Amino acid sequence: MKQIYREQLKAAGFSEDVLPPKPEDRSWNIGNYAAIWMGLVHNIPNYIAVGGLFA
């Protein structure tokens, strides 16, 4: 996997807000990913949208 160099991206004009976090700032664990997944899967408008696509 290609290494992302934050300083090069900032020099190219990217904002700090859209850059990926530094490795030392990454604090998510499996529980965080599970919570996001549960929120996305158990969202009724998502099911309605998919049902509309099938119809």
Side-chain angles (χ1 to χ4, degrees), residues 2-54:
K2 185 178 174 185
Q3 178 67 29
I4 298 173
Y5 296 102
R6 294 173 56 84
E7 297 305 319
Q8 289 178 342
L9 292 173
K10 285 180 9 184
F14 287 93
S15 169
E16 183 74 31
D17 295 331
V18 298
L19 293 177
K22 299 173 193 166
E24 59 269 12
D25 292 338
R26 297 178 190 162
S27 61
W28 278 33
N29 58 29
I30 191 69
N32 296 106
Y33 288 105
I36 292 292
W37 179 78
M38 293 296 282
L40 293 173
V41 169
H42 295 96
N43 188 346
I44 293 173
N46 286 348
Y47 280 107
I48 293 171
V50 171
L53 293 174
F54 284 133

